[in-house]
Amino acid sequence: HLGGDRFAIAEERKMRITLVEIPQGTKKIHDDGRRIDLDEKAKKNKGLEGLTYDRETDTLFAVREDKPPTVFRIQPLSIDHDSQVTDWPLDLDGLDDLSDLFFDPSTGWLWLLSHESRRAAAFDAKGRRVADWRLEKGENGLPENVKQAEGITRDRHGRWLICSEPNRIYRFV
């Protein structure tokens, strides 16, 4: 959800994002909105893994999982006009893959999640790594290793939530 009636639909294998308007009361949608193709060379299940949006700068961030892991910045985000898509050259040392991301408007930091590395890292607006969490037993109060972290978000109370497969949600206060 991008705010108002705007939504982004992500297609992992096609490395495609479709921007659509879904007015309140809509019963059925068509994915015939403006398309943003990120990388046609993506392989099978190593494509588009996550999206997050910074409303203040009108920037959509997307991650390619692997081969190589990449953070894309898409700006400005408009349903009617072209956007500039750039690779953001972050230092991904220690992040073997990217399974999700979350833009935290309270800090302006972009959080990246890696299930293969059992790690989450945050980057500021200049691309500097400002936080690094290990998602292993004994770290950050974890009673066990986070097996396959696939989602990261923060709730309105400031608690971090990491979803993993199979069927686990870890809450950090």
Side-chain angles (χ1 to χ4, degrees), residues 14-148:
K14 292 181 180 179
M15 284 291 291
R16 177 187 297 158
I17 300 166
T18 303
L19 303 176
V20 295
E21 298 255 358
I22 306 175
Q24 189 172 4
T26 299
K27 302 269 190 248
K28 184 177 180 181
I29 66 165
H30 299 280
D31 70 342
D32 58 357
R34 186 168 81 78
R35 297 187 191 287
I36 302 168
D37 292 308
L38 297 178
D39 183 357
E40 296 174 10
K41 297 178 252 174
K43 304 278 190 226
K44 294 188 180 182
N45 197 30
K46 298 293 183 186
L48 183 60
E49 279 294 306
L51 301 174
T52 191
Y53 183 60
D54 174 3
R55 286 188 178 125
E56 187 174 315
T57 64
D58 193 30
T59 303
L60 185 69
F61 296 93
V63 291
R64 175 175 49 214
E65 179 178 9
D66 205 351
K67 309 226 185 284
T70 306
V71 177
F72 297 96
R73 288 190 293 191
I74 303 145
Q75 184 178 33
L77 195 62
S78 169
I79 288 186
D80 302 321
H81 306 289
D82 287 340
S83 302
Q84 182 178 2
V85 178
T86 57
D87 296 5
W88 196 10
L90 300 174
D91 175 10
L92 299 179
D93 186 43
L95 301 172
D96 295 335
D97 74 326
L98 297 174
S99 55
D100 197 21
L101 73 170
F102 174 74
F103 179 79
D104 183 4
S106 69
T107 61
W109 295 355
L110 181 68
W111 283 85
L112 302 177
L113 184 64
S114 171
H115 83 267
E116 288 179 13
S117 304
R118 289 192 179 113
R119 198 172 218 112
F123 297 84
D124 68 12
K126 293 184 179 178
R128 295 177 298 224
R129 191 180 296 215
V130 292
D132 201 340
W133 293 352
R134 291 180 40 200
L135 302 175
E136 298 172 341
K137 181 178 181 177
E139 298 287 331
N140 301 301
L142 284 165
E144 62 192 15
N145 286 340
V146 175
K147 290 194 175 27
Q148 188 171 343

